[in-house]
Amino acid sequence: QVQLVESGGGLVQAGGSLRLSCAASGRTFSNYGMGWFRQAPGKDREFVAAIATISTNYADSVKGRFAISRDNAKNTVYLQMNQLKPEDTAVYYCAAKSAMSAAPIGYQYWGQGTQVTVSS
């Protein structure tokens, strides 16, 4: 079982930056594929970014602006978000899966989410 706790959300102006963190429980964090998803009001949850051992994967809408990374010593995955746009406003969720891949599917564990609001 893996428990995930997100932090770092907030209100930012368009063009600004935020860094989300996701702290994971468990001693096998380094064996898990990790991802970030988001859900805007009235919309389905969508894939944002994922990381395996070193490989990464991004949604087209965030390529070049967002960067995912992980620190296995701290059991933490990060999402650095730059050049934020109002359409990035959503609840952001951290996710984990026992398969070490950066594919946007197969996630078994989810955090509670953190709100990101980008004002225009």
Side-chain angles (χ1 to χ4, degrees):
Q1 192 75 7
V2 176
Q3 292 185 325
L4 305 171
V5 179
E6 304 97 334
S7 62
L11 174 64
V12 64
Q13 288 188 331
S17 298
L18 281 175
R19 187 175 81 155
L20 304 183
S21 299
C22 173
S25 65
R27 292 175 288 181
T28 59
F29 174 78
S30 60
N31 295 336
Y32 282 83
M34 301 297 297
W36 288 96
F37 292 74
R38 67 186 180 187
Q39 187 167 20
K43 295 188 177 182
D44 293 334
R45 186 163 55 190
E46 64 174 1
F47 169 74
V48 175
I51 185 166
T53 306
I54 56 173
S55 62
T56 57
N57 187 18
Y58 296 94
D60 288 343
S61 59
V62 306
K63 279 181 182 176
R65 300 189 297 123
F66 290 11
I68 189 171
S69 61
R70 64 190 301 162
D71 185 337
N72 290 337
K74 296 182 178 180
N75 280 16
T76 301
V77 63
Y78 303 98
L79 185 68
Q80 178 66 43
M81 306 186 294
N82 300 323
Q83 301 172 48
L84 282 161
K85 304 175 181 180
E87 51 263 44
D88 294 317
T89 295
V91 177
Y92 283 71
Y93 297 91
C94 177
K97 57 182 176 181
S98 54
M100 183 51 78
S101 96
I105 59 172
Y107 289 88
Q108 302 152 290
Y109 307 102
W110 297 85
Q112 292 300 306
T114 185
Q115 176 70 46
V116 171
T117 302
V118 184
S119 64
S120 58

